[in-house]
């Protein structure tokens, strides 16, 4: 899976990212750069990051995801994380990554609904 790029889809004013495999450090950093560039190009105001297939996350990847959320906020976008598996939730908390101002949802459909409600306010 080396050098695979994470697809970033645009739906109206939202970017949808479905991470389908465990990320290595290089892919995670490339994803961060790609997402921020895509936000800038499209002026998206919402991002949904679906982690459903991911059942393991290390400290570096957790930090990159946390950074992506913070950076997206700085660019004016709301972020919803969907599909966090129990093991990933445990790891995030154990690593001290709280994701406090982040919306979460069980699945992509609920995440899009939650994001749309948030963007209406």
């Amino acid at each position: 899976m080396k050098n695979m790029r994470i697809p970033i889809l645009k739906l109206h004013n939202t970017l949808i990212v479905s991470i389908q495999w465990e990320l290595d450090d290089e892919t995670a950093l490339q994803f961060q750069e790609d997402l921020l560039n895509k936000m800038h190009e499209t002026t998206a105001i919402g991002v949904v990051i679906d982690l459903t297939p991911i059942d393991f996350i290390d400290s570096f990847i957790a930090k990159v995801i946390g950074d992506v959320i913070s950076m997206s906020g700085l660019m004016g976008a709301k972020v919803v994380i969907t599909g966090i598996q129990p093991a990933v939730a445990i790891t995030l908390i154990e690593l001290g990554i709280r994701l406090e101002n982040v919306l979460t949802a069980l699945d992509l459909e609920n995440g899009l609904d939650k994001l749309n409600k948030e963007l209406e306010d």
Side-chain angles (χ1 to χ4, degrees):
M1 290 288 179
K2 261 310 204 202
N3 298 327
M4 297 265 310
R5 280 192 129 109
I6 310 270
I8 302 169
L9 308 174
K10 184 176 182 297
L11 178 66
H12 307 295
N13 60 356
T14 301
L15 298 178
I16 301 171
V17 181
S18 181
I19 299 177
Q20 294 293 314
W21 61 87
E22 309 295 334
L23 298 178
D24 59 64
D25 294 358
E26 184 181 334
T27 305
L29 291 172
Q30 185 65 59
F31 159 65
Q32 177 177 290
E33 185 178 325
D34 289 349
L35 180 62
L36 296 173
N37 286 332
K38 188 83 161 185
M39 286 175 60
H40 182 72
E41 290 166 16
T42 63
T43 63
I45 58 172
V47 178
V48 177
I49 301 173
D50 182 49
L51 300 176
T52 301
I54 305 301
D55 53 16
F56 170 78
I57 192 167
D58 68 21
S59 59
F60 182 78
I61 303 304
K63 181 189 178 315
V64 169
I65 290 172
D67 289 350
V68 163
I69 293 163
S70 298
M71 292 171 188
S72 298
L74 288 172
M75 294 181 69
K78 301 263 186 193
V79 178
V80 178
I81 303 288
T82 63
I84 295 177
Q85 300 296 324
V88 172
I90 291 166
T91 302
L92 289 172
I93 296 303
E94 286 176 347
L95 293 171
I97 297 172
R98 299 280 181 238
L99 305 180
E100 284 160 0
N101 297 317
V102 179
L103 297 169
T104 58
L106 288 175
D107 58 35
L108 185 57
E109 185 176 3
N110 289 331
L112 285 167
D113 288 346
K114 194 175 267 196
L115 180 62
N116 287 330
K117 285 184 183 110
E118 188 74 15
L119 294 175
E120 287 171 7
D121 292 343

